[in-house]
Amino acid sequence: MLALLRLLQDGRFHSGEALGAALGVSRSAVWKQLQALQAELSLPLHKVRGRGYRLVTPLQLLDADWLNAQMGVPHWRACVMPSVDSTNAEALRLLPAAQALPFYVLAERQTSGRGRRGRTWVSPFGENLYYSLVVRIEGGMRQLEGMSLAVGLALLRVVRGFGVVDAGLKWPNDVLVGERKLAGILLELSGDPADVCHVVIGIGLNVNMLAAEPGVIGQPWTSMRAELGVLLNRNELVGELNRHLSRYLDIQLREGFAALQNEWEADHLWQGRVVALTAGGEPVEGVVLGVDLSGAIRLRVDGVERSFSGGELSLRLRDDS
């Protein structure tokens, strides 16, 4: 099926005879695979008698060979999967047999994509980036302070570099355009949190998605294609993401988040806004002052500055902010 998709990804018409010849199968076998593409991957096809078949929307499939051959970017090994439950889960499964670190996992789609606080991350085939990087950490959990914020800075530099200049950060793990979510970050830990461990840096970036089933995504969202009006090359995006991640992770691990604090605050969309912070109980309302040296959010609550951190915290703008 993937070989057939590579023939069709240009969005042009291809006859059943030509597709069969290229794949070494019969026209009836091609037809069965085309039906499977529509049913299993929800990829709509356009059929015209005498011209053949084409994808309604062209695809730019991920290419592990191209990614692994790039020079001038970190030589992290790419593992590209047609479909996984989640790239974070697949990265953790691959970790015990990994020959070198860091390495990263990409997928054309996720069947059980995960966001923060147990939320589902909608992951249609061939449209977005579902990316997980595995990094070895020595020295315990303190090395991880502010890491998700450093990753957010790297991701922001990528999307702005491709033209989404209005994008900004939302504490702790989101990239937004206005009030619409463009990307999210999920870090997961494996190993001894007091000594040597591995962190899986999961990134979901809406690249070429233009529509989703009503009610599936529970918040306003956007994509790079929706903002720019052009189809983007996801392989080039991955190369830039690796380059920026390498730089920001190096700074964070060598110097700590303190070296990135001012830069992060300058790109935080909710600086000075009135927000409600919740963690399962009554929300705490306050004005966003910024973040501290560990990456915790600083709020002015009833005239007093307070800091909050934790993976289960949720930050929302107050309705009248």
Side-chain angles (χ1 to χ4, degrees):
M1 193 181 299
L2 198 58
L4 177 59
L5 266 178
R6 293 197 183 283
L7 296 173
L8 292 170
Q9 67 177 332
D10 58 9
R12 299 175 181 174
F13 279 104
H14 298 265
S15 70
E17 183 177 0
L19 292 171
L23 296 172
V25 299
S26 66
R27 291 179 63 179
S28 62
V30 168
W31 172 239
K32 289 179 181 178
Q33 288 193 36
L34 290 169
Q35 290 179 308
L37 285 181
Q38 296 183 94
E40 295 179 27
L41 303 182
S42 301
L43 292 174
L45 286 165
H46 192 45
K47 177 184 177 182
V48 174
R49 184 182 297 274
R51 300 188 69 188
Y53 312 90
R54 70 171 179 87
L55 291 173
V56 171
T57 302
L59 287 176
Q60 178 69 54
L61 295 175
L62 297 167
D63 188 334
D65 291 338
W66 187 89
L67 290 167
N68 286 322
Q70 294 308 293
M71 304 298 292
V73 296
H75 287 131
W76 300 339
R77 186 71 181 170
C79 178
V80 178
M81 315 293 289
S83 179
V84 294
D85 50 355
S86 86
T87 56
N88 269 25
E90 181 67 11
L92 288 169
R93 288 190 290 265
L94 294 174
L95 177 57
Q99 297 180 350
L101 291 171
F103 72 90
Y104 63 101
V105 176
L106 293 164
E108 292 290 1
R109 73 165 177 172
Q110 298 179 117
T111 57
S112 300
R114 305 195 308 271
R116 289 182 65 244
R117 307 175 74 211
R119 293 189 180 98
T120 298
W121 189 271
V122 175
S123 310
F125 185 94
E127 295 188 348
N128 302 323
L129 278 189
Y130 320 118
Y131 172 108
S132 294
L133 174 69
V134 183
V135 179
R136 177 185 169 96
I137 301 295
E138 298 184 13
M141 287 284 289
R142 191 164 185 81
Q143 296 289 324
L144 302 180
E145 288 184 347
M147 179 175 283
S148 67
L149 279 67
V151 172
L153 277 170
L155 186 53
L156 183 64
R157 297 293 166 258
V158 173
V159 299
R160 284 184 176 174
F162 275 79
V164 188
V165 294
D166 292 332
L169 299 169
K170 176 213 160 188
W171 188 90
N173 294 337
D174 293 340
V175 177
L176 307 180
V177 178
E179 304 300 328
R180 294 163 294 155
K181 189 164 182 173
L182 179 67
I185 299 160
L186 177 66
L187 269 57
E188 295 185 289
L189 195 66
S190 174
D192 185 352
D195 189 13
V196 177
C197 60
H198 296 90
V199 61
V200 180
I201 300 169
I203 293 173
L205 172 61
N206 297 332
V207 181
N208 290 320
M209 182 168 69
L210 292 179
E213 293 182 22
V216 173
I217 302 177
Q219 60 184 306
W221 64 275
T222 188
S223 70
M224 296 181 70
R225 184 180 178 187
E227 296 300 318
L228 300 174
V230 296
L231 191 73
L232 289 109
N233 185 315
R234 292 179 300 145
N235 292 297
E236 293 178 358
L237 272 170
V238 172
E240 284 299 290
L241 179 58
N242 287 343
R243 185 170 69 85
H244 285 286
L245 275 175
S246 177
R247 173 174 175 259
Y248 278 95
L249 288 175
D250 181 63
I251 293 172
Q252 195 269 337
L253 290 172
R254 282 190 298 106
E255 305 177 44
F257 179 70
L260 298 171
Q261 179 190 18
N262 291 338
E263 183 180 354
W264 193 93
E265 288 183 341
D267 288 320
H268 190 209
L269 293 174
W270 290 6
Q271 290 291 110
R273 304 289 294 274
V274 180
V275 298
L277 185 75
T278 58
E282 286 295 318
V284 175
E285 292 190 354
V287 177
V288 176
L289 300 176
V291 290
D292 67 16
L293 297 180
S294 70
I297 190 77
R298 297 187 298 118
L299 302 182
R300 186 171 66 246
V301 182
D302 296 328
V304 178
E305 180 176 326
R306 298 174 60 186
S307 294
F308 303 86
S309 63
E312 297 304 310
L313 294 178
S314 176
L315 194 68
R316 295 286 181 269
L317 286 175
R318 204 175 69 181
D319 290 342
D320 61 348
S321 176

